[in-house]
Amino acid sequence: MSFEKLAKNASEIISEEELKQKLKLNRPLRVKAGFDPTAPDLHLGHMVLLRKLRQFQEEGHEVILIVGDFTALIGDPTGRSSVRPALTHSEIEQNAKTYQEQAFKVLIREKTKVVFNSEWLKALGTEGTIKLLAKWTLARMLERDDFSMRFKNQNPIFLHELFYPLLQGYDSVFIQSDLELGGTDQKFNLLVGRELQKEQGQEPQVCMMMPLLVGLDGQRKMSKSYGNYIRITEKPREMFGKIMSIPDTLMEEYFRLLTDIEEKEFQSLIKEHPMKAKKLLAFEITKALNSESEAQDALEYFQSVFSERKFPKDAEIINVNPGRYRLIDLLALINSGMSKNALWRLITGGGIKINGEKLIDPNLEVDVKISLEIQLGKRGFYIIKPQS
């Protein structure tokens, strides 16, 4: 694959000339990316990086996926206006278990080396950590936009947060990476790794920054912190539906970063048939993370339920004792994962339908003597059946 194809969609490469020279070396490049297990899910924003890693794999390069089980104890301060909540070892360990399997929805398993940075960061010890800290100044650390803004606004910056870029940079030294991938917000951290490699006499890594995928709100980057994300492990129908809910203005970005559809094709389709384009987008992403048959099922389900307004035939059946129930108590039996407070807000907000009729009184009595078709929000469908 040419430099142009590997560099496609990157926001910035430091430096392009160095990457061209490294690609001419007669050996696989060591391509690194790290993910801190701060939550149990990877999302479509991570998929942007994973797809780029896959491209390097397909060209025979070595991909090293670093699970930041040690750095997660600190929490990446990038883009934060306040310190991250501390995670326990147990939480990090549990989250880390899920990351590997999720990443292999995109990466080639047998061509991926998965490592945990606690392996070498724990071994640094006090003396090694002090030596590492001696390689950077506070003034240089405060060049970071997030730190400088917090300092200017008199928001606290805790000392352990200053360690984070150095520890991530040391990952590059230990791995001896040729190239590190990250989002545009990771530029400072990636450059720290480059500088530390120079200090150790290593050839500095190339830093490739990829665009940050905008989330479902159409405004901020997709993030677990903002709750505007689509998990890469979403059930196919749910994934398809959520992609269909993105603002039309994001379609080009999603096509470009998350599919292999040619630019001319999707731009023409968006211009002439925006709904058809969005269905293709949802289909392609759902297929990539699941299977073609599951994507086809999700497409047909969406068309039936949301385009043709049909109640799904395979909705989950909930058996209850016949009788009269307050609406909110009946909905609580569905076990949708929603609290009674959330159900109350959904009802009063007009988000509940029974047999196609919108009900907005949580205290309304519902007589369960025949089967009832219940819709919770946009994508929750259930059939309540009286037990005989």
Side-chain angles (χ1 to χ4, degrees):
M1 186 178 287
S2 66
F3 163 82
E4 286 72 22
K5 288 185 178 179
L6 284 173
K8 184 179 180 182
N9 294 326
S11 294
E12 185 178 5
I13 300 173
I14 302 175
S15 71
E16 291 189 3
E17 187 54 40
E18 289 180 30
L19 179 55
K20 289 176 183 177
Q21 293 304 315
K22 286 181 183 288
L23 290 172
K24 292 177 183 177
L25 297 175
N26 191 27
R27 64 170 176 83
L29 299 184
R30 296 172 65 80
V31 183
K32 164 204 172 192
F35 298 93
D36 281 356
T38 53
D41 304 308
L42 294 177
H43 53 66
L44 296 190
H46 296 116
M47 188 180 173
V48 175
L49 290 183
L50 293 171
R51 279 173 51 82
K52 182 58 67 176
L53 289 171
R54 169 107 186 196
Q55 285 184 354
F56 278 94
Q57 285 184 321
E58 289 171 349
E59 288 302 299
H61 299 292
E62 182 183 4
V63 163
I64 302 166
L65 187 67
I66 297 179
V67 179
D69 59 331
F70 190 92
T71 42
L73 288 169
I74 298 174
D76 187 356
T78 300
R80 304 288 294 191
S81 58
S82 60
V83 66
R84 285 182 181 272
L87 295 176
T88 66
H89 283 284
S90 176
E91 289 171 326
I92 292 170
E93 184 179 350
Q94 188 61 39
N95 292 344
K97 286 179 182 178
T98 71
Y99 271 36
Q100 296 181 65
E101 288 307 313
Q102 292 177 56
F104 292 138
K105 280 180 165 283
V106 180
L107 298 178
I108 303 170
R109 187 185 296 266
E110 58 271 20
K111 293 186 178 181
T112 306
K113 183 177 181 181
V114 180
V115 292
F116 292 74
N117 65 9
S118 60
E119 175 189 336
W120 54 87
L121 292 180
K122 278 184 179 179
L124 269 177
T126 304
E127 183 178 349
T129 301
I130 290 172
K131 287 180 178 178
L132 182 61
L133 292 174
K135 298 183 183 299
W136 215 261
T137 66
L138 180 59
R140 291 187 72 184
M141 198 63 74
L142 289 177
E143 290 172 5
R144 287 181 58 129
D145 290 340
D146 35 33
F147 283 156
S148 62
M149 286 299 295
R150 284 164 68 178
F151 187 75
K152 186 184 298 183
N153 295 330
Q154 298 185 338
N155 292 330
I157 302 170
F158 292 87
L159 290 178
H160 73 290
E161 296 182 273
L162 301 176
F163 286 16
Y164 189 94
L166 290 167
L167 294 177
Q168 180 177 328
Y170 187 75
D171 290 348
S172 297
V173 172
F174 187 86
I175 294 296
Q176 298 183 36
S177 57
D178 294 301
L179 182 147
E180 182 171 9
L181 275 169
T184 52
D185 59 345
Q186 289 288 312
K187 181 176 179 178
F188 185 93
N189 292 349
L190 271 58
L191 290 175
V192 170
R194 184 177 164 89
E195 291 301 313
L196 290 179
Q197 285 180 312
K198 289 179 184 178
E199 288 268 359
Q200 294 295 319
Q202 294 180 15
E203 189 73 25
Q205 66 184 13
V206 170
C207 302
M208 180 180 286
M209 278 68 72
M210 299 297 294
L212 300 177
L213 192 73
V214 176
L216 294 173
D217 55 7
Q219 299 175 342
R220 298 177 293 186
K221 73 171 185 176
M222 185 171 286
S223 169
K224 291 165 281 192
S225 301
Y226 300 142
N228 63 350
Y229 67 106
I230 302 174
R231 296 178 295 122
I232 68 173
T233 55
E234 297 276 8
K235 293 179 180 179
R237 291 180 177 181
E238 189 73 10
M239 179 179 289
F240 193 101
K242 286 185 176 181
I243 296 168
M244 290 299 298
S245 74
I246 68 169
D248 288 355
T249 53
L250 294 184
M251 279 200 283
E252 282 196 24
E253 176 185 350
Y254 275 52
F255 266 115
R256 190 173 293 117
L257 298 176
L258 299 175
T259 79
D260 294 323
I261 304 295
E262 291 295 328
E263 183 124 0
K264 286 183 180 179
E265 180 183 346
F266 69 68
Q267 284 188 345
S268 173
L269 195 59
I270 289 171
K271 184 178 180 180
E272 296 174 16
H273 305 286
M275 178 55 74
K276 187 176 179 181
K278 192 175 282 190
K279 286 179 180 178
L280 175 63
L281 174 66
F283 181 87
E284 289 296 316
I285 296 173
T286 304
K287 179 179 73 171
L289 293 171
N290 298 279
S291 68
E292 185 164 1
S293 61
E294 288 171 310
Q296 184 63 36
D297 171 75
L299 170 61
E300 292 171 359
Y301 178 84
F302 182 87
Q303 290 180 162
S304 172
V305 174
F306 298 100
S307 298
E308 301 169 15
R309 306 293 180 185
K310 294 179 180 177
F311 195 88
K313 295 178 181 178
D314 57 353
E316 182 180 351
I317 296 173
I318 310 293
N319 292 303
V320 302
N321 292 324
R324 301 183 71 84
Y325 297 82
R326 282 197 315 156
L327 177 58
I328 192 164
D329 293 332
L330 179 64
L331 298 182
L333 297 175
I334 289 175
N335 193 26
S336 62
M338 299 177 69
S339 66
K340 274 203 170 182
N341 285 338
L343 286 170
W344 188 284
R345 291 193 296 270
L346 188 61
I347 296 168
T348 55
I352 298 294
K353 290 182 181 179
I354 294 185
N355 292 342
E357 180 184 356
K358 187 180 294 185
L359 302 178
I360 59 172
D361 180 3
N363 292 312
L364 178 71
E365 283 201 346
V366 179
D367 191 4
V368 181
K369 56 186 178 183
I370 60 171
S371 294
L372 303 174
E373 295 179 346
I374 295 184
Q375 181 178 348
L376 271 66
K378 292 183 178 180
R379 290 186 285 273
F381 296 93
Y382 304 89
I383 295 174
I384 294 287
K385 269 192 171 185
Q387 290 177 328
S388 54

